[in-house]
Structure formats: C-alpha cells, structure tokens
Amino acid sequence: MNTHFRFDIRPILLALLMSLSFAGTAQYQQIPSAVYHWNGVTVTKKANSEQRVLLEGATPAFTHMKVHATTVAAGEAPHPGHEHADEELIIVKDGQLTVTIEGKKETLEKGSIALIMPGDEHALTNGGQKPVTYYIMRYETGQPQPERGTKAGGSFVRHWKDLEYKTHDKGGRRNVFDTATTQSERFEMHITTLNEGLMSHPPHTHKAAEILLLIEGEAEESIDGTWQTSQIGDIIFLQSQVPHALRNTGKGSATYFAFQFE
C-alpha cells in the first residue's frame, strides 16, 4: 500500500534560523534618547545604492534594533530576494518601492509601509524612473513567538492613500496599525500632523520605547527637559520612561510617524 505523507519543514527551519541568530547576537548597549540627524551620518555607497545607518543598539523590548535608510537607483534592486530571523519594518521616504512578500507584489508610494515577519521571503525593487529612498527598521528579541505573529495576521503592507485622516483640535492623525508580531507583544504606529506653532502634548512618559520620524516641516523634541531640533528625515528615539514632547517650530504643518513597541 502506498502512503503519501507530506511534511512541512519550514517551521523547523525558521526556529533553527532564529536560534542560530540569537546565539550569535552581540550584546548591544541601550540606545540613548536623542535626535538622530539624517545629515549627521556617513553615507556608504554601493554599486546601485547607498545606505545611511541612523541608529543601532538595544531597547527594553529588543536585544538588537537597527534603523537605516537605503537609496536605490532607478530599475535596480539592493539585493536578491531573501529571508531572515529578525522582523523588518519598511517606510518609503521618497519615490516608489516594489515589495514582494512570499510571492505577492505591491508597489508602495511615499509614506506607505510594509511589516515583514521572520522567515517570510521578500524582495525590494525600484521599478521606476527615479531613485527611491526608504527606511528599514530591523529588530529582534530573545523570545520570538512565530505563532503570535501568524495569529495576528503575518506580514502586511499599508498604503498612504488608504490611511484615513481624522482631524482634531491640533491637526490630525492617521492610524497605521496596532498589532502583536513575532518579535513584539504590541507594535503600534500612527502618523500625526501638528498645526503651526503647537505642541503635541505636555511632556509625559510611558513604559514603551518610541520612535518619531519627521516627514514634513520642522520641529523640536523635548527629551528629559532639553529641546533638540529635528528636520525632515531625522529619527527621534525615546527610551522607556523618558519625559518627552514635540512642538512644531516651522511654517505650516509638521507631520511625523510615531511608533511604540513593547
């Protein structure tokens, strides 16, 4: 009698990949709360792209987190399709980026995002006529939970044009996502638009570490009582329980991504 048995080895390979990754992970220092300036880092040039590493280190939630920006020339790809053990968040700064995740292809415009779970094969391509620039945030914890990421819906994209803009007395807000992932118990992202001359809120603290990414206007961030300037493209990193607030110091509105993770 012929018995047909099909065994899916992918979960085992993913678990092995994760264990090897964490076993070899260096001990990173906690990232200081600060503004990390777009123009304040070294640009590494490659054959068809360039890269800026904006920050790298540990957070209360992650053993390792790195944020960098990549610019890819028209018609090029930074590397072949691949997969890895950490999680990856992509935010398009300028241009159009074609993202393929597990065979599904979508073109993301400026302000759109992709969140890619560990083990999912993905590829990035600039299929347009102009350069594309995008941020990549990669992060991992010592206790990943693939089942949690799968249950929450796995990898996904969000298009800027599909995000509902809700006005309020200080400007407006776009909710991007609020979900559990493989590497995070809770990962929340929204986009705030702050009217000219206003402060987001009085200085406050919270348990979750937070990143702000300015995409329009000029601002200052109060970090533990000290105001630091921020321009378009800058990353503001805020450690857990550090008092902070943002104010719009430019002409017109200021718009920024805000994401918390724990």
Side-chain angles (χ1 to χ4, degrees):
M1 180 176 65
N2 292 328
T3 301
H4 297 283
F5 178 73
R6 184 175 181 179
F7 180 70
D8 189 353
I9 198 172
R10 288 178 297 177
I12 297 176
L13 291 177
L14 177 58
L16 179 60
L17 181 63
M18 288 182 174
S19 65
L20 290 174
S21 173
F22 301 134
T25 298
Q27 295 297 314
Y28 290 91
Q29 298 296 316
Q30 291 288 312
I31 300 170
S33 298
V35 177
Y36 294 83
H37 297 287
W38 178 266
N39 293 324
V41 298
T42 301
V43 178
T44 302
K45 295 186 179 296
K46 300 181 179 181
N48 56 4
S49 65
E50 61 182 35
Q51 187 178 106
R52 292 171 168 84
V53 177
L54 294 160
L55 61 85
E56 184 173 17
T59 78
F62 303 132
T63 55
H64 179 224
M65 185 177 76
K66 179 179 179 180
V67 180
H68 69 270
T70 297
T71 299
V72 179
E76 300 288 350
H79 44 64
H82 64 290
E83 58 187 64
H84 41 68
D86 54 5
E87 216 160 84
E88 185 171 314
L89 171 68
I90 297 169
I91 304 173
V92 180
K93 182 178 187 290
D94 292 297
Q96 292 186 326
L97 180 68
T98 298
V99 179
T100 303
I101 305 173
E102 292 289 282
K104 184 178 179 180
K105 181 183 296 185
E106 295 202 43
T107 297
L108 304 183
E109 67 278 11
K110 179 179 178 180
S112 301
I113 70 98
L115 188 64
I116 303 171
M117 295 297 106
D120 281 358
E121 183 175 353
H122 58 282
L124 309 176
T125 307
N126 179 3
Q129 302 300 313
K130 298 179 180 180
V132 62
T133 299
Y134 53 93
Y135 297 89
I136 290 185
M137 172 179 159
R138 292 178 60 175
Y139 51 95
E140 59 186 341
T141 178
Q143 297 180 322
Q145 297 187 29
E147 300 84 359
R148 182 174 63 198
T150 300
K151 184 178 180 180
S155 302
F156 59 84
V157 303
R158 295 286 186 270
H159 291 273
W160 175 272
K161 62 181 178 4
D162 295 334
L163 300 175
E164 182 183 4
Y165 181 67
K166 296 182 178 180
T167 60
H168 53 62
D169 59 339
K170 293 186 177 182
R173 172 175 169 137
R174 294 173 171 88
N175 291 322
V176 184
F177 62 79
D178 188 344
T179 186
T181 73
T182 294
Q183 300 283 3
S184 181
E185 292 182 7
R186 177 174 179 262
F187 195 167
E188 185 271 336
M189 173 186 278
H190 63 273
I191 304 165
T192 294
T193 295
L194 190 61
N195 291 337
E196 183 176 329
L198 297 185
M199 183 182 292
S200 57
H201 45 65
H204 72 293
T205 64
H206 41 69
K207 178 183 177 182
E210 185 173 22
I211 287 180
L212 307 179
L213 168 58
L214 190 67
I215 62 173
E216 177 190 39
E218 299 178 3
E220 288 183 340
E221 180 74 17
S222 176
I223 302 176
D224 203 13
T226 300
W227 289 98
Q228 299 185 32
T229 61
S230 178
Q231 306 290 327
I232 292 174
D234 293 350
I235 293 283
I236 302 169
F237 181 80
L238 303 164
Q239 273 282 4
S240 172
Q241 304 297 351
V242 171
H244 61 275
L246 183 143
R247 64 187 179 195
N248 181 352
T249 56
K251 296 294 183 182
S253 60
T255 300
Y256 54 93
F257 280 89
F259 35 108
Q260 297 183 11
F261 33 87
E262 55 188 340

